[in-house]
Amino acid sequence: MAAAHYHGLELDMRDFAAEPEEDSPSPASLVRWLREQGAVAKAMHLRWRYLVRMGNTPPIVLMFRDGSAGLMVGSNPEKGVVWLRDPLKGEGEPPIPVDQLRLTQVWTGDVVLVKRRRDESEGDARFDLAWFAKMVLREKRGLRDMVFGSMVMSVLQVFPPLIVMQVIDRVVNYHSMATLVSLTGFVIILGVYEILLSYGRQELTLVVTTRLDARISLHAFNRLLSLPLEFYERQQAGEILGRFSSVFKVRDFMTGQLLSTILDMFVLVVVMPVLFYMSPTMAWLTFAAAGAIGLVVVIMLPAISRVAGHQIRTEMKRNATLYETVAGIRTVKTLALENPRREEWDDRTAEVVRWRLAAGRISNWSNSIVMPLNMFINRGIIMVGAYLTLTNSNSMQGGALMAFMMLGGRVASPLVSLARMMESVNEVTVSLNEAGMVLNQPTEAKALTTGMRPPIKGALSFVDVNFSYPGSTAKALDGVNFSVPAGTMLGLVGRSGSGKSTITRLLQGVSRNYTGYLRLDGIDMREINLHHLRRSFGVVLQDNFLFRGTIQDNITAGRPGLTIDDVVRAARMAGAEEFIERMPAGYETWIEEGSTNISGGQRQRLAIARAVICDPKLMILDEATSALDPESEALVNANLQRIGKGRTMVIVSHRLSSLVDCDQIAVMDKGKVTDIGPHSELLERCDVYRTLWLQQNRHVNPQAAKAAEEDEAADDQKREQQGPQPSEGDDA
C-alpha cells in the first residue's frame, strides 16, 4: 500500500483476498491484487548484486522470511548498502542502511515492483482481432520455439520421398543390398529425430494454446464483470451468454486451426524449391490447382458469410430461450406454461435447422466444385508425370515420380488448408462481432480502480439532482434537494414510480450520469472509487440472491478474513441466529440453487446479515421487508433500531408502519421530494403522506381513508382534464 501510495494509488486492505493455503501473502497474490486495483505490478526473484544497483527507482517491496515486508527506497553500490524504510511508521521515518549480510538473513530474494498504469492495458483495449493478435504475440518465446521446430520438421519431411526415390532407382533397379542397408539406417535415425521433434512441437503447442486459453478466458470474464448493471438490465441474459460464448469460437480458431495452418505453411518454404527443381511443369500444375481451390473459396465467401451469420444468430436466440426457460422453470411449472415454451423452442429450432441446412448445402456446393481440383492434385499429377517420363526419359525416372507425388501431396495440403481456413474466417468474424456487442460496451473499470477512498461516515446531500433513464424522456428524478447528517435513519416513501429506488441506485453508483450534486460526507459521489463505495455500503433488496454454498459462505461473500465469530454476530444482529441454529448443520448448512430449501423470510435475514457483517456506515434497504410474512417482518423491523445505531440507513418501503421510527421520512412524488420530516409532522402537513397513511390504516379510521381516496381520485381527474403540462425546459 505504501509503494502504491508513492504513485498516487490509494488501496483498501479490505479488497485483498488471501489464498486459503497461504499463512502470509505471497508475491503472486500481491501482484494479482495490485493489478485488480489498476496498478502495474510484477514479482521477481533477484540477487543482491542486481538489487544494490537499483538506486534511482521508485520504492521496491522486499519480501521477508517471517511473512513481513519492507520498502527499499535507495541504494549505494559503492558502500554495498540498501536503504530500507518501515512502511508502518510513515513516510517521515528516516530509512536505515542495511548491508548484504544482514539483509540476506531475513530477505527471501523476492521483490514486488509497483507503478501506476499510464497506458491502455489489454483488459481495457477494444475487443477485436487485433486484441487477439496481441494476446498471441505475448507468447513470443513459445512461438519462436514452435517456428524453429516446424522449420526443422519441414526440412526432415523432404528426406522420406528422396529415400523412396533412391530405393526405386538405386536399390530395386540395381539390386544393391549395401545401398538398402545404408538407407535403412538413415531412415531409422531420421525417424527417431522426427518423432522427438514432433513430440516437442506438440508439447510446445499445447503449452502455448493452454496459456492463451487461460489468458483470453480471464480477460473476457473480467470484462464481463466490469460492465455496468444498466447494461444487464437492458439486455436479455440468454443473449448475453450466447454472445459471450462466441469468444470461445474465436479462441479455438486462433489457437487451433490458424496456428496449425501457419506452422504447416513452413513446408511450402522448404518443399516448393525442391519440387521446382525436380519438375517445373508438374510443380506449376500443383501450385495452379491449389490456387484454383483458393479462388473458388474466395468467390463463395460472401454467400458463406451471410448464411453463417444467420446460423449463429438463430442459435443464440435458441440458447436464449433455453436459458430463460431453465431460469424461470418454477414459473413455467406453476403456471403450466410448458406448451407455450415448447412452441417457442420449436420455432427457434426450426429457424436453426433451416439456416444450418442452408449452410450445409452451400458448403456442399463448395466442396463439390473443389473436389475435381483436389483429385487432380492427388491423382492427376501422376498421369502428367508418367506422360513426361514416357515422352522424355531424361526428365524424370520412376523413383523421382514417386518422390514428387509424396512431396506434392505435402505441398497441396497446407494450400488447401489455407483455402479452407477462409471459410472459418467468416464464421469467426461473425462470432467476433457478436462477442464485441457485449465485451466492447463501456465498462466501469476506470471507476472501479481510480478515485478517492475516503473514510465513510454517512452524511448525504442532494443538491438539484436530475436523472433520466436511458431511452426515456421523462425525468425519474426532478430537482431533488435534501440532506441528512451521518447516523440518520431516512425513510423513502411514495407511490410506485415516484423515484424511491432511483435514489438508491444513485447512492450505489449504478448510475452516474445524473446532473446536480450528490455528496457523501461532502464529497461528490462521482469522485469516490466505485469499488470502495460499494464495499462501504450494506445493501438489502426485495429479492436477494444467495449463492449455492453454505450459510457461512453466503454471509461472508466477498469479505476475506472474516471469522465465524463475525458471522455469528452478524446473524444475531439480523435476527437469523435462531433459525440457523435449528438447522441440522448450523452455519455449514448447504443452500441449494435458488434458495429452495429456506423460506423467503430466512433468505431476507441472511441477506441482512451479509450486509451488516462488514459494519457499514451506510445501509440501503430497498423494499427489504415487502415479501416477508407478518412475523418475519415484525422481527426484521424490531432489529432495524439495533442495526441502525451508529450508521446512516436509507429505507425504501411501501409499508409506512415500518418507517414510523425513522428520524426523517422523505415523501416523493413524480421524481420530486415533496416534503421531508418525522412521521408525526408529515401526518399534519403533507397531503401525499397523509393519504398513503390513511389508505394503509383504513381498519383504524375507515371514514378518513375513504375521504382520502375520494380526494386523490378527484385530483387525478382534474389533472387528466388539464392535460399534460409543459415542463420548465420545454419550448413554448
Side-chain angles (χ1 to χ4, degrees), residues 266-455:
F266 288 105
V267 176
L268 295 177
V269 179
V270 177
V271 175
M272 285 300 292
V274 178
L275 290 182
F276 277 97
Y277 173 77
M278 296 176 67
S279 175
T281 303
M282 294 174 62
W284 277 116
L285 287 173
T286 303
F287 191 77
I293 292 176
L295 182 61
V296 171
V297 174
V298 170
I299 293 174
M300 300 290 289
L301 218 54
I304 295 174
S305 177
R306 180 179 59 85
V307 174
H310 284 292
Q311 181 185 352
I312 291 174
R313 282 187 283 273
T314 53
E315 288 180 348
M316 286 182 180
K317 290 180 180 179
R318 186 174 67 168
N319 292 336
T321 300
L322 176 63
Y323 172 82
E324 190 175 45
T325 303
V326 174
I329 193 64
R330 184 178 299 177
T331 303
V332 171
K333 290 294 184 182
T334 54
L335 298 182
L337 300 177
E338 288 90 347
N339 287 336
R341 301 308 298 175
R342 189 179 294 114
E343 290 176 4
E344 182 174 348
W345 177 260
D346 291 346
D347 292 339
R348 299 296 189 200
T349 301
E351 292 181 9
V352 171
V353 169
R354 184 168 63 251
W355 285 109
R356 184 174 292 176
L357 182 62
R361 283 173 174 169
I362 197 169
S363 178
N364 192 21
W365 271 103
S366 177
N367 292 335
S368 299
I369 296 173
V370 165
M371 188 174 293
L373 298 170
N374 206 3
M375 293 172 65
F376 174 76
I377 294 175
N378 294 325
R379 306 171 192 175
I381 289 294
I382 193 172
M383 305 301 177
V384 176
Y387 173 78
L388 293 176
T389 302
L390 292 175
T391 56
N392 187 0
S393 58
N394 296 326
S395 63
M396 182 175 290
Q397 296 181 357
L401 180 59
M402 292 298 298
F404 189 94
M405 288 301 303
M406 295 177 66
L407 289 174
R410 295 189 178 184
V411 168
S413 180
L415 290 175
V416 172
S417 298
L418 184 63
R420 297 287 184 203
M421 190 181 70
M422 298 299 294
E423 297 182 11
S424 300
V425 167
N426 287 274
E427 184 178 350
V428 167
T429 302
V430 175
S431 299
L432 193 63
N433 292 334
E434 293 293 331
M437 293 177 67
V438 173
L439 299 178
N440 286 331
Q441 296 291 326
T443 66
E444 296 177 327
K446 185 176 181 181
L448 289 168
T449 57
T450 60
M452 303 171 63
R453 297 174 180 262

Side-chain angles (χ1 to χ4, degrees), residues 1 10-18 29-30 32-34 36-38 447-450 452-453 529-536 558-561:
M1 292 175 65
E10 297 295 336
L11 304 180
D12 190 343
M13 192 62 202
R14 295 179 299 174
D15 296 335
F16 177 75
S29 299
L30 294 172
R32 171 183 54 78
W33 176 49
L34 289 163
E36 289 173 354
Q37 302 304 310
L448 289 168
T449 57
T450 60
M452 303 171 63
R453 297 174 180 262
N529 177 275
L530 194 54
H531 193 71
H532 172 73
L533 181 71
R534 292 172 179 171
R535 288 294 297 266
S536 303
R559 311 292 179 182

Side-chain angles (χ1 to χ4, degrees), residues 500-547:
K500 304 184 298 298
S501 295
T502 303
I503 284 184
T504 65
R505 289 170 63 88
L506 299 190
L507 290 176
Q508 297 171 65
V510 174
S511 302
R512 286 192 159 190
N513 56 336
Y514 57 86
T515 61
Y517 298 95
L518 170 52
R519 296 188 177 95
L520 175 61
D521 299 325
I523 303 173
D524 194 301
M525 294 279 283
R526 288 169 289 201
E527 300 296 327
I528 301 176
N529 177 275
L530 194 54
H531 193 71
H532 172 73
L533 181 71
R534 292 172 179 171
R535 288 294 297 266
S536 303
F537 281 14
V539 181
V540 184
L541 305 175
Q542 179 178 355
D543 186 17
N544 294 278
F545 181 84
L546 297 182
F547 296 95

Side-chain angles (χ1 to χ4, degrees), residues 118-137:
R118 300 291 182 183
D119 55 349
E120 188 181 57
S121 69
E122 290 174 343
D124 301 327
R126 181 173 177 79
F127 189 86
D128 52 17
L129 203 58
W131 184 86
F132 271 98
K134 289 180 181 179
M135 298 290 287
V136 173
L137 291 176

